[in-house]
Structures are given as C-alpha cells and as structure tokens.
Amino acid sequence: MDDRIKHHTFVFERRCKAGIERVFAAFSDPVERARWSTPSETAAFLYDANDFREGGQDVFRCGSREAPQFKGVTTYISIMPSSRIVSSEVVESGGQILMANLITTLLSEEGSETRVRMTVQVTSFCGDEMLQGTEAGNNASLDNLVQHLAQ
C-alpha cells in the first residue's frame, strides 16, 4: 500500500457582506477571481485559460510569486447561477500529479449577506503536505473573498 496517498474532506464557511449575485460574480469572473484567490502576498495564482461553464476548464499556475511551480486544471461539472459550483481539480508539478479534488461551492442568502460553504474532497498523492496546503490556501482565499466583497 502506498503510504503517500492521503484523503481528507475540508468544509469551509464564510459570510460575505454582499448579495448572492455579487458573490457568484466574484467566482465566475476569472479576472476578479484571480484577485482574491491568491492566498498571500508571497504567492502567485495565474490563469492561462478560463472557460467558466459546465464542461469548461480553467488552466492555472500557482505557487511562489517568483516561480509558480504548480500547474492546475479545473473542470466545471455543474453550475447553477447564484446557487452552486461543482468542479474537479488536478494539480501537478514537473509532470507528476500531486493531488485531485472535488469541490462543491454552495451559496445561500442570509438577509443582506451571502453564506459561502465550500466542501473540498482531496486525494493527495504525495502525503500530508498537499492536504495542509489545500486547507491553508482555501482558508486564505476565502478570507480574501470576504475582504474583497466588503470593499
């Protein structure tokens, strides 16, 4: 058995001080998404291609700002405007697959705010490091989303 293969399910929740249509727009617009999804000032998140529609794919690079060492492909499985986004994601480096994710993002109105609930089911092919990176990166990105929409 390969001890490097790890699985984990993360659930992230945030409340955004914006209407549901505005929050959905922040996810669907790749230019806007690139602004808030970079987890820190030392990191990079760059889209090489984007196609936000069911069956569409985004191709991105991420990692350190100086040399984004990871390449990813997101495939959109189900999109219901202002309600849900379900996608899969594969991340690799140097031609080696590091992890595969299934991501379900649900949006719900709560008064004048929107609740974002993101469930990320991760399979890491290289141990706990990718699990830790997934948790830290998604937490930071969603914190950035909340700040971005509060402006």
Side-chain angles (χ1 to χ4, degrees):
M1 188 158 125
D2 189 341
D3 292 337
R4 295 174 302 157
I5 295 179
K6 304 288 183 178
H7 304 274
H8 195 79
T9 298
F10 296 99
V11 178
F12 307 97
E13 289 197 33
R14 298 294 188 280
R15 291 189 191 281
C16 299
K17 294 185 183 212
I20 200 165
E21 291 85 12
R22 176 68 188 100
V23 175
F24 183 79
F27 277 93
S28 63
D29 181 331
V31 174
E32 190 171 358
R33 190 170 60 238
R35 275 188 237 129
W36 61 261
S37 62
T38 303
S40 73
E41 292 189 19
T42 61
F45 196 98
L46 310 162
Y47 285 100
D48 294 321
N50 56 76
D51 186 6
F52 185 81
R53 64 178 175 84
E54 289 184 355
Q57 292 188 324
D58 290 345
V59 178
F60 62 89
R61 289 173 287 131
C62 59
S64 71
R65 179 175 271 182
E66 297 77 34
Q69 68 271 36
F70 303 110
K71 177 187 175 194
V73 176
T74 300
T75 302
Y76 294 101
I77 298 166
S78 176
I79 299 172
M80 182 176 282
S82 299
S83 179
R84 75 167 179 252
I85 304 164
V86 179
S87 60
S88 64
E89 181 177 85
V90 175
V91 177
E92 67 175 44
S93 181
Q96 179 181 352
I97 296 175
L98 302 175
M99 73 174 175
N101 300 335
L102 178 63
I103 304 163
T104 302
T105 303
L106 301 174
L107 307 177
S108 58
E109 280 185 316
E110 296 191 356
S112 62
E113 296 183 342
T114 300
R115 182 174 72 134
V116 177
R117 185 170 203 263
M118 181 182 291
T119 303
V120 183
Q121 298 167 284
V122 185
T123 299
S124 170
F125 298 101
C126 56
D128 290 329
E129 187 175 332
M130 291 306 292
L131 298 178
Q132 294 162 358
T134 298
E135 182 177 29
N138 279 287
N139 268 319
S141 294
L142 289 172
D143 288 345
N144 291 342
L145 172 66
V146 170
Q147 291 177 347
H148 174 75
L149 292 170
Q151 299 174 3

